[in-house]
């Protein structure tokens, strides 16, 4: 069981990394809390009462107060990020003690263990604003969506943002190949197929290949391994917690795993060549994706068929126009035959990506 005491604001100090503070003399409860801290990758400070130094109480990103210690900390200065932890589900006075210490939450073990591990892990990682997460999908095969996804990620990294590029298409051949890093050291998707619950954001980032100043989660060249939806959810949630930007290259077929990815996206770009058959195919993709994604925009790629331009394609699809994706040879070349898309920072494609990030980051209030 968990509960919230609504008179206090959400914890602010938890947005920076640090050691959680545990206050209890209950040996059994302490063992449980130490176990949960270890599961979350955090090393706590343990006290029997409020630390003699006021800084210890005020500076801890999260304070876990055992129910046995509630009266001993009742006189401490009010602060956000305090959790009262107990075991007696039927204790009617627990809420009074929570108010006494100014707790944000009341949590009973063992029911609240999963919530508490996530909360401890958040403060251990220094969680701030989640990443701005952008998906790219082709309106038809060969539209250039994977190339655009790579160019967006390379441009984001070049601008100094923490950037992760995720290849969500197991049949696409691997974005690491497109970036010229198929032999780079690091984990690929099959290593995360068994992931459940919470994946550490920092550990995820450090385990992946680094190419062009960004991290890449791609596929290996072995047999195709199915990554279950819970694993997709856990990995993308970890990526978002690190902040910056996450770019996801999406397949055109929508299965349960792709639906999990779509649910975590802030915005999706639908890449559509300006030809009638591509627009017809893209309308089906837009219909399916639009059922999950709130913000779906179209990027129109030339050359243009007679009677079509970028605004007309957007009108036919009933979608907002993200921009005209310029014709550039890199969009049409086979994978691995050119430098990484957008790597030089010059050319129409790089300019499109730069303008896209400038516009979207303004719309969302800056880097996250």
């Amino acid at each position: 069981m968990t509960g919230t005491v609504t008179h206090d604001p959400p914890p602010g100090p938890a947005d920076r990394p640090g050691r959680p503070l545990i206050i209890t003399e209950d040996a059994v409860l302490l063992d449980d809390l130490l176990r949960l801290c270890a599961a979350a990758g955090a090393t706590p400070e343990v006290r029997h009462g409020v630390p003699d130094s006021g800084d210890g109480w005020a500076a801890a990103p999260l304070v876990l107060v055992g129910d046995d210690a509630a009266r001993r900390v009742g006189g401490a200065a009010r602060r956000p990020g305090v959790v009262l932890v107990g075991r007696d589900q039927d204790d009617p006075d627990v809420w009074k003690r929570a108010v006494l210490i100014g707790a944000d939450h009341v949590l009973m073990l063992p029911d609240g263990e999963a919530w508490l591990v996530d909360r401890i892990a958040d403060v251990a990682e220094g969680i701030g604003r989640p990443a701005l997460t952008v998906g790219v999908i082709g309106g038809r095969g060969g539209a250039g969506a994977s190339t655009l996804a790579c160019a967006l990620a390379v441009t984001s990294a070049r601008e100094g943002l923490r950037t992760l590029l995720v290849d969500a298409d197991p049949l696409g051949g691997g974005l690491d190949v497109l970036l010229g890093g198929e032999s780079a050291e690091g984990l690929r998707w099959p290593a995360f197929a068994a992931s459940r619950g919470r994946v550490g954001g920092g550990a995820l980032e450090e385990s992946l290949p680094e190419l062009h100043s960004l991290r890449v989660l791609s596929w290996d060249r072995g047999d195709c391994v199915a990554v279950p939806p819970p694993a997709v959810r856990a990995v993308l949630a970890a990526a978002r917690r690190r902040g910056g930007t996450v770019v996801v290259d999406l397949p055109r077929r929508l299965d349960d795993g792709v639906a999990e990815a779509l649910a975590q996206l802030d915005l999706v770009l639908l890449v559509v060549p300006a030809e009638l058959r591509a627009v017809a195919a893209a309308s089906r993709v837009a219909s399916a994706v639009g059922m999950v994604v709130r913000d779906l925009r179209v990027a129109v790629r030339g050359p243009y068929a007679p009677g079509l331009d970028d605004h007309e394609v957007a009108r036919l699809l009933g979608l907002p126009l993200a921009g005209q994706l310029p014709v550039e040879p890199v969009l049409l070349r086979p994978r691995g035959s050119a430098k990484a898309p957008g790597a030089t920072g010059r050319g129409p494609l790089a300019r499109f990506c730069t303008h896209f990030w400038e516009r979207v980051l303004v719309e969302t209030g800056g880097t996250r």
Side-chain angles (χ1 to χ4, degrees), residues 79-101:
R79 52 147 294 164
V82 176
V83 180
L84 180 63
V85 185
R87 292 181 174 282
D88 188 354
Q89 305 273 1
D90 299 320
D91 183 356
D93 295 325
V94 66
W95 297 100
K96 294 180 181 178
R97 293 191 291 275
V99 172
L100 175 68
I101 67 173

Side-chain angles (χ1 to χ4, degrees), residues 330-354:
V330 71
L331 285 169
L332 307 175
R333 291 174 183 165
R335 291 187 175 203
S337 64
K339 292 182 179 179
T344 65
R346 299 186 298 274
L349 179 60
R351 287 195 294 273
F352 174 91
C353 294
T354 298

Side-chain angles (χ1 to χ4, degrees), residues 266-327:
D266 297 307
L267 180 156
V268 172
L269 288 178
L270 176 66
V271 183
V272 183
E275 55 189 47
L276 287 176
R277 187 178 179 192
V279 173
S283 67
R284 292 176 176 263
V285 177
S287 177
V289 172
M291 295 175 65
V292 183
V293 175
R294 292 190 301 270
D295 191 347
L296 177 61
R297 311 180 191 185
V298 60
V300 182
R301 198 201 82 195
Y304 294 94
L308 287 180
D309 61 19
D310 50 353
H311 293 283
E312 179 64 10
V313 171
R315 186 192 69 79
L316 290 171
L317 292 173
L319 295 175
L321 179 64
Q324 177 183 344
L325 193 59
V327 178

Side-chain angles (χ1 to χ4, degrees), residues 28-281:
V28 176
L29 179 61
L30 177 59
D31 283 346
D32 282 338
L33 293 177
L34 291 175
R35 171 176 56 83
L36 298 177
C37 284
T43 302
E45 178 183 359
V46 180
R47 300 282 183 170
H48 296 315
V50 177
D52 294 335
S53 169
D55 290 343
W57 168 266
L62 180 68
V63 180
L64 307 177
V65 179
D67 198 24
D68 65 292
R71 298 196 181 279
R72 294 197 299 278
V73 303
R78 290 294 191 266
R79 52 147 294 164
V82 176
V83 180
L84 180 63
V85 185
R87 292 181 174 282
D88 188 354
Q89 305 273 1
D90 299 320
D91 183 356
D93 295 325
V94 66
W95 297 100
K96 294 180 181 178
R97 293 191 291 275
V99 172
L100 175 68
I101 67 173
D104 296 319
H105 289 84
V106 174
L107 181 139
M108 294 296 170
L109 299 180
D111 292 357
E113 287 191 356
W115 181 91
L116 187 55
V117 168
D118 279 351
R119 190 73 181 85
I120 296 169
D122 281 348
V123 302
E125 291 185 27
I127 301 305
R129 299 182 68 187
L132 173 60
T133 307
V134 176
V136 185
I137 189 168
R140 66 154 169 81
S146 295
T147 300
L148 177 58
C150 287
L152 286 171
V154 168
T155 303
S156 171
R158 194 176 61 247
E159 294 296 323
L161 300 177
R162 173 186 276 125
T163 306
L164 174 62
L165 175 62
V166 178
D167 186 353
D169 185 1
L171 303 181
L175 292 186
D176 53 351
V177 176
L178 186 54
L179 293 173
E182 60 269 24
S183 60
E185 294 291 330
L187 299 182
R188 268 67 173 180
W189 264 117
F192 300 98
S195 298
R196 297 292 187 276
R198 185 187 181 98
V199 174
L204 171 68
E205 183 177 29
E206 293 171 6
S207 72
L208 299 177
E210 183 174 5
L211 304 168
H212 305 281
S213 300
L214 60 97
R215 298 286 179 165
V216 182
L217 176 54
S218 188
W219 298 87
D220 60 17
R221 258 50 68 187
D223 293 338
C224 186
V225 174
V227 178
V232 175
R233 183 188 317 126
V235 169
L236 287 182
R240 285 174 57 83
R241 288 197 301 272
R242 294 297 287 169
T245 65
V246 176
V247 180
V248 183
D249 181 33
L250 297 160
R252 293 177 62 242
R253 72 183 187 293
L254 302 184
D255 56 22
D256 290 342
V258 176
E260 285 289 352
L262 288 171
Q264 298 201 45
L265 299 178
D266 297 307
L267 180 156
V268 172
L269 288 178
L270 176 66
V271 183
V272 183
E275 55 189 47
L276 287 176
R277 187 178 179 192
V279 173

